[in-house]
Amino acid sequence: MSTRFPFTAVVGQQDLQLALLLNAVAPNIGGVLVRGEKGTAKSTAVRALAALLPQVEVVAGCRFSCDPASPDPTCPDGPHTGEGAEARDARMVELPVGASEDRLVGALDIERALAEGVKAFEPGLLAAANRGILYVDEVNLLHDHLVDVLLDAAAMGASYVEREGVSVRHAARFLLVGTMNPEEGELRPQLLDRFGLTVEVAASREPDERVEVVRRRLAYDDDPAAFAARWADEERGVRQRIVAARELLPKVRLGDGALKQIAATCAAFEVDGMRADIVMARTATALAAWDGRSDVLAEDVRQAALLALPHRRRRNPFDAPGLDEDKLDQTLEESAGDDDDPDPDPDGPGGGGGGGQPSPSPEEGPQGGDAGAQPEAGEDGEPQPSAGGAGEQAPARAAEPFRTKALTVPGVGAGAAGRRSRARTERGRTTGALRPRGALTKLHLAATVRAAAPHQRARGRSGPGLVLRRDDLRQAAREGREGNLVLFVVDASGSMAARQRMSAVKGAVLSLLLDAYQRRDKVGLVTFRGTAAEVALPPTSSVDAAAARLESLPTGGRTPLAAGLLKAHDVLRVERLRDPSRRALLVVVTDGRATGGPEPVALAGRAARLFGAESVASVVVDCESGPVRLGLAGRLAEELGGTAVTLDELRADAIAGLVRDVRGTTSRRAA
């Protein structure tokens, strides 16, 4: 077994270490979500935590780690009546992002269950993680059907395996720890709320600290055992402190004053439900026990808020998690009771740490400046060119987003699970039956019986049971929804540069991005202006990154429409090689004008016909305005083989027939 990097040797991640240790002291806090850029010791710290956890007492031979003091009465290996107990190390089970549902919950042998009436159950990862740690690296990339299973297990503390009326239940209480890079996409809100605490991590910008990180890592790589031995005393000290804090935890007093501060803080930050209040109370109690105190102080409440609330406060999907610490301090001060709890001290223990940073207000940019400040307008109402270059204007702010109706790709795909287009999936409504390829997972009972029925006499059936063979089994074919690649091609030329108009265009694209976020799509962004096109954002699951690039998009110059379409065609070609099963939806946002170079209109038409020839589903958002309209966007849509909608028609209450139009156009093209 390889030697793990010591927990106490991790440099510069005090908030992460504290959140993990608090969950080791009080597992009912609910786990930790670690958000941060790659290469920040997220996985290293989580894997090192398991070595610090105290041993657990389990029923000897039980595959589900039942507690001898209170065994699970429904344990598949039970009932347990006085079997011997044994102590073992706490387990840390890793859930791979690409795991199957059977790997997570366990597998039931359907053939033996039907033919012999035997519950032959092979436990999954949830059983192995019971009374331990379940670790999910890149948890934001976890497939939706696995997220659903995790939500059920986390809510009920048990896992259920159902196969055509045959069911198995076992305990599944675990400490859920997830790590993620926000650039690769966000978590579903339901799963996000299941994590008790959240921590933002980033690489240190201090040269001395970075030097120490490299020095320790190199020393560990050269001789892991010797490096771990040098940190053995520190590891032993932390392990003993966890045990002591667990023993003290039931004796910690959570006074009315602290409870009032917790309730006032959750109300001030408008968190939904009561889970945040409960998690804050448990975290503050664990903080007191960790410090060896029997009373919860205001500083514990403050630190608990910084760890438990950033991912629960109400925010738009593209807002970064975080808390306004000035507002937090003011709320704690105003809600301080008459008990002995001291006023919160931002410079005291826990005052400088936390699970979030102040978030800029919607009117402020990332540096606290006024993101809405715009250049002086000329006499015609148009903004003057910025210093960024001739003909280039400062970015316009996006208008308020609105709800759009779904744009779907016609046909039935087989891509990654999502919520946009029809697809053959492991979950969803049953549409038919087929012979299984490999292990049977979703039995189609009626089709199986129909396949076996004609052979019963030849097989010598004499009793009431059905004589089954492997060839009789039928897999249920199911249809659900998939996520698509939504590639935005946005015209940023001078013809789109009127500030009010570009603001409306950005608002429309932002609305479509919000829709893509909710439907679990990948998104990409291609822009064109001047003399060329560029990939502003390669296809990614991070819709937040696309929104940020859109907000900073400058405008000005000519309209190289053909260059934009050709660049988009290249992006789709590469993505088709990387992920052949993910279908694409092209969204072109333009007024349809094409300028610059020889025969720009004809060249744009030829580029558009490339998409039509490959049956790429496409929508053109027509941004043309004014009393006189040329209808160029509509012609572009015809060349693409797609459909065109205006900005007004893009709203949910105005495009009821859009999906039908997209499908109808595609069907006519196929014919």
Side-chain angles (χ1 to χ4, degrees):
M1 180 178 179
S2 60
T3 303
R4 288 176 175 167
F5 193 92
F7 184 85
T8 51
V10 175
V11 179
Q13 301 295 357
Q14 290 82 4
D15 290 343
L16 169 58
Q17 290 173 304
L18 178 62
L20 292 172
L21 290 170
L22 292 177
N23 274 273
V25 172
N28 59 1
I29 287 175
V32 185
L33 174 64
V34 188
R35 297 166 45 96
E37 58 197 29
K38 52 187 176 291
T40 49
K42 301 187 298 293
S43 300
T44 299
V46 174
R47 292 188 175 102
L49 175 67
L52 299 178
L53 297 181
Q55 289 190 322
V56 294
E57 292 283 333
V58 299
V59 174
C62 178
R63 297 175 295 169
F64 302 88
S65 303
C66 280
D67 186 350
S70 57
D72 181 6
T74 61
C75 176
D77 285 354
H80 301 299
T81 55
E83 291 96 335
E86 60 183 10
R88 62 161 175 78
D89 294 336
R91 291 174 179 164
M92 191 193 75
V93 177
E94 295 194 38
L95 171 59
V97 170
S100 66
E101 184 176 342
D102 283 347
R103 182 74 183 97
L104 179 60
V105 302
L108 193 64
D109 191 328
I110 304 296
E111 187 172 359
R112 291 188 64 192
L114 289 176
E116 305 173 27
V118 176
K119 289 185 180 180
F121 180 68
E122 184 65 30
L125 297 177
L126 289 180
N130 188 34
R131 303 179 66 203
I133 301 173
L134 182 62
Y135 172 48
V136 189
D137 194 14
E138 306 293 352
V139 63
N140 51 324
L141 303 182
L142 201 64
H143 288 183
D144 276 359
H145 67 284
L146 298 183
V147 171
D148 293 338
V149 172
L150 277 182
L151 287 172
D152 290 342
M156 298 183 293
S159 174
Y160 292 84
V161 182
E162 301 282 349
R163 292 289 188 274
E164 302 296 340
V166 181
S167 64
V168 173
R169 175 205 175 277
H170 65 81
R173 300 185 182 276
F174 47 82
L175 173 61
L176 181 61
V177 180
T179 57
M180 60 175 283
N181 183 349
E183 293 180 355
E184 297 173 341
E186 287 289 348
L187 273 180
R188 281 173 55 181
Q190 296 93 331
L191 182 57
L192 187 64
D193 189 52
R194 282 292 169 187
F195 287 97
L197 310 180
T198 186
V199 178
E200 293 278 341
V201 297
S204 172
R205 299 298 183 257
E206 293 294 329
D208 291 343
E209 198 167 81
R210 295 175 74 94
V211 167
E212 185 61 24
V213 170
V214 175
R215 182 181 290 119
R216 293 186 186 183
R217 186 70 213 188
L218 293 178
Y220 170 77
D221 291 340
D222 288 341
D223 192 342
F227 183 81
R230 290 202 298 271
W231 291 89
D233 290 341
E234 287 81 356
E235 295 282 287
R236 190 179 305 109
V238 172
R239 193 178 298 110
Q240 293 172 350
R241 189 174 175 184
I242 292 174
V243 173
R246 283 188 173 185
E247 293 176 352
L248 178 60
L249 187 64
K251 305 172 186 176
V252 175
R253 185 182 71 88
L254 182 64
D256 289 343
L259 280 172
K260 290 178 181 177
Q261 287 184 316
I262 290 171
T265 301
C266 292
F269 286 98
E270 299 182 329
V271 298
D272 294 327
M274 295 298 298
R275 184 173 286 122
D277 303 62
I278 296 170
V279 171
M280 271 190 68
R282 290 171 175 168
T283 305
T285 304
L287 279 162
W290 178 249
D291 285 342
R293 291 182 276 104
S294 58
D295 287 294
V296 173
L297 306 180
E299 64 194 43
D300 299 325
V301 176
R302 185 182 193 278
Q303 182 68 55
L306 291 170
L307 292 171
L309 296 188
H311 60 305
R312 290 190 168 91
R313 69 174 180 84
R314 287 189 179 180
R315 59 189 181 95
N316 292 323
F318 302 143
D319 293 340
L323 291 184
D324 184 336
E325 295 194 33
D326 291 336
K327 179 180 178 180
L328 173 61
D329 291 333
Q330 181 181 355
T331 302
L332 292 174
E333 183 177 354
E334 292 174 352
S335 60
D338 297 329
D339 59 338
D340 296 333
D341 290 354
D343 290 335
D345 178 11
D347 298 322
Q357 297 296 329
S359 296
S361 68
E363 293 75 28
E364 294 179 346
Q367 302 302 323
D370 185 0
Q374 306 293 354
E376 294 290 335
E379 294 180 358
D380 59 354
E382 291 297 313
Q384 299 300 309
S386 69
E392 180 177 312
Q393 299 173 3
R397 297 194 64 188
E400 194 68 23
F402 50 84
R403 186 173 64 89
T404 68
K405 280 202 172 177
L407 310 178
T408 64
V409 177
V412 181
R419 301 187 185 91
R420 184 171 295 278
S421 305
R422 294 171 56 202
R424 293 178 292 274
T425 61
E426 287 293 318
R427 301 172 69 86
R429 64 186 182 90
T430 301
T431 59
L434 45 82
R435 291 181 181 274
R437 298 179 179 177
L440 178 70
T441 56
K442 301 289 184 181
L443 178 73
H444 194 296
L445 184 58
T448 299
V449 171
R450 284 197 301 270
H455 309 290
Q456 296 305 294
R457 179 174 297 178
R459 293 173 184 173
R461 173 184 169 186
S462 58
L466 192 66
V467 181
L468 286 176
R469 297 288 185 268
R470 173 69 185 175
D471 290 343
D472 300 331
L473 299 178
R474 295 294 183 269
Q475 177 90 11
R478 297 175 181 252
E479 184 177 297
R481 292 280 167 177
E482 68 177 0
N484 298 118
L485 166 59
V486 182
L487 182 61
F488 293 93
V489 182
V490 180
D491 185 348
S493 65
S495 67
M496 303 280 289
R499 183 155 302 277
Q500 184 176 1
R501 185 177 175 193
M502 196 61 197
S503 177
V505 169
K506 286 189 175 182
V509 179
L510 185 63
S511 302
L512 291 168
L513 283 171
L514 281 166
D515 183 67
Y517 167 81
Q518 294 164 352
R519 298 181 187 280
R520 310 288 287 179
D521 293 315
K522 288 181 71 174
V523 297
L525 178 62
V526 173
T527 64
F528 58 94
R529 67 187 185 95
T531 60
E534 66 172 343
V535 181
L537 183 73
T540 175
S541 296
S542 176
V543 181
D544 293 24
R549 299 291 172 86
L550 177 71
E551 191 69 28
S552 61
L553 179 67
T555 57
R558 292 183 178 274
T559 312
L561 176 57
L565 294 174
L566 290 173
K567 181 69 71 174
H569 188 267
D570 287 342
V571 170
L572 292 184
R573 178 179 56 80
V574 173
E575 283 302 305
R576 216 173 281 127
L577 296 174
R578 291 177 177 169
D579 190 355
S581 63
R582 188 181 289 269
R583 298 184 295 162
L585 174 65
L586 183 72
V587 179
V588 185
V589 185
T590 181
D591 57 9
R593 288 181 172 85
T595 60
E599 299 184 345
V601 176
L603 187 59
R606 287 198 295 271
R609 286 191 288 275
L610 292 175
F611 295 93
E614 296 174 0
S615 300
V616 176
S618 58
V619 176
V620 178
V621 180
D622 184 359
C623 302
E624 192 174 28
S625 61
V628 179
R629 305 199 177 197
L630 303 178
L632 298 176
R635 296 179 202 170
L636 176 63
E638 292 177 3
E639 299 279 4
L640 288 167
T643 187
V645 292
T646 65
L647 288 174
D648 291 336
E649 292 171 339
L650 192 61
R651 296 180 179 274
D653 54 359
I655 59 170
L658 178 58
V659 173
R660 182 178 63 251
D661 292 342
V662 174
R663 289 178 176 151
T665 303
T666 305
S667 299
R668 288 194 299 273
R669 183 176 64 220

